[in-house]
Amino acid sequence: MEKKTNARTIAEYAIFIAIIFVMKITGLSSIPVGPLVMTLTMIPIAIGAMLLGPLGGALLGFVFGLTSLYDAISGASVMTGVFFQVSPFHTVVLCVVTRTLVGWLTGLIFKMLKKIDRKKVWCYFAGGLLAPMLNTILFMGYIVLVFYRTDFVQERVTMLGASGPFMFVVLLVGMQGIVEWLTGCIVGGGVAKGVAHALKRDKD
């Protein structure tokens, strides 16, 4: 029984990792919006974190972080590409560490919410919302913390007419962030709830 469980868990990990890579290869993982991209990969990461737990979420976030780092190194992402030229170390933290934390925190907070939600309904939609929201907070937060004084960011601060770091994040993310959050909440939450019910995991 334990071997079957381990094999099933490995298979589930493999499926979610494959989804992340397929989304990346096909271009479905992100939609360019100015210097940023609308990150749809947070949806499978949120689903995986809810179904596989905090460690599963952390692994999926790490995998996504590696693809993001590849974009920075290759120059596929203009913004992180510039940041990599400024500081490779901080760009690794920005791309990989923050995304790993997103997956881990999503799984961790979802476990707590699941205990509160007796009917096991709204906790899934909250979990679907958590991943893109945490991604925005941690990713943009680290940019402000480390890269805010760079010429690249200051040019955009001036362009947006931002009065400070907080307004810079609000104006830069804008509607894109709201769409990401809503998509994660509705799609991620709905799919996770459906899969959990099918696998009989919504009663845990």
Side-chain angles (χ1 to χ4, degrees), residues 28 81 109 133 184:
L28 295 175
I109 297 173
M133 182 179 292

Side-chain angles (χ1 to χ4, degrees), residues 132-167:
M133 182 179 292
L134 288 170
N135 183 58
T136 299
I137 293 171
L138 294 178
F139 188 80
M140 293 305 301
Y142 200 78
I143 287 176
V144 168
L145 182 67
V146 176
F147 296 108
Y148 187 72
R149 295 299 176 187
T150 62
D151 292 339
F152 181 85
V153 172
Q154 286 303 307
E155 286 175 3
R156 275 138 192 85
V157 169
T158 301
M159 187 186 306
L160 293 169
S163 57
F166 178 75
M167 284 307 300

Side-chain angles (χ1 to χ4, degrees), residues 95-164:
C95 294
V96 181
V97 177
T98 60
R99 268 55 185 272
T100 303
L101 279 174
V102 167
W104 181 71
L105 288 172
T106 298
L108 188 66
I109 297 173
F110 173 74
K111 284 183 68 176
M112 294 187 287
L113 296 177
K114 197 176 180 183
K115 293 178 181 179
I116 300 173
D117 181 13
R118 294 182 179 180
K119 293 186 177 181
K120 305 296 185 290
V121 177
W122 62 262
C123 61
Y124 287 96
F125 294 98
L129 174 65
L130 275 171
M133 182 179 292
L134 288 170
N135 183 58
T136 299
I137 293 171
L138 294 178
F139 188 80
M140 293 305 301
Y142 200 78
I143 287 176
V144 168
L145 182 67
V146 176
F147 296 108
Y148 187 72
R149 295 299 176 187
T150 62
D151 292 339
F152 181 85
V153 172
Q154 286 303 307
E155 286 175 3
R156 275 138 192 85
V157 169
T158 301
M159 187 186 306
L160 293 169
S163 57

Side-chain angles (χ1 to χ4, degrees), residues 23-114:
M23 290 182 70
K24 177 63 179 176
I25 293 170
T26 58
L28 295 175
S29 62
S30 57
I31 300 174
V33 181
L36 294 176
V37 293
M38 189 165 69
T39 309
L40 300 181
T41 312
M42 284 297 119
I43 295 174
I45 291 175
I47 297 170
M50 288 187 275
L51 297 178
L52 302 173
L55 291 180
L59 176 61
L60 297 179
F62 175 76
V63 171
F64 170 57
L66 291 179
T67 66
S68 180
L69 180 61
Y70 172 79
D71 286 346
I73 296 173
S74 66
S77 169
V78 176
M79 183 169 67
T80 56
V82 171
F83 293 159
F84 188 78
Q85 298 300 317
V86 174
S87 173
F89 171 78
H90 284 298
T91 305
V92 170
V93 175
L94 176 68
C95 294
V96 181
V97 177
T98 60
R99 268 55 185 272
T100 303
L101 279 174
V102 167
W104 181 71
L105 288 172
T106 298
L108 188 66
I109 297 173
F110 173 74
K111 284 183 68 176
M112 294 187 287
L113 296 177
K114 197 176 180 183

